[in-house]
Amino acid sequence: MSPLPGAELVRSSVQLYRYLLRCCRRLPRGPVQQHYRHAIRQSFKVHADEDDPERIQQIIKRAIEDADWVMDK
């Protein structure tokens, strides 16, 4: 089960970024939410120069799996 409906529609890095930030809204307010919002932004910056479509899809898939794990935790 995906953390939010629509995970299967994420195809680009910008869509992933918005999706993950929406997931953060479901986390408890305060340090936990701030931590994950910061981690999402940092990861987006780190992978901003990625241009291999296959690698981008791997990153998207992994990020959604990680978001699912965090939301279940």
Side-chain angles (χ1 to χ4, degrees):
M1 180 169 87
S2 297
L4 284 179
E8 65 280 353
L9 301 175
V10 174
R11 298 282 180 247
S12 71
S13 56
V14 174
Q15 289 173 334
L16 176 65
Y17 183 74
R18 292 180 67 200
Y19 173 81
L20 293 174
L21 289 179
R22 282 193 306 272
C23 286
C24 275
R25 291 184 202 152
R26 297 179 68 195
L27 295 172
R29 292 193 183 266
V32 172
Q33 195 178 62
Q34 290 173 357
H35 168 77
Y36 284 106
R37 287 178 63 88
H38 177 75
I40 291 165
R41 288 185 178 120
Q42 289 300 107
S43 184
F44 187 77
K45 289 177 185 177
V46 166
H47 296 291
D49 62 344
E50 192 67 57
D51 58 356
D52 179 18
E54 186 175 315
R55 176 70 177 131
I56 292 170
Q57 290 306 310
Q58 289 175 346
I59 292 169
I60 289 171
K61 182 177 182 272
R62 179 59 193 231
I64 292 172
E65 289 172 357
D66 289 349
D68 189 23
W69 181 81
V70 168
M71 299 305 288
D72 285 341
K73 190 172 99 170

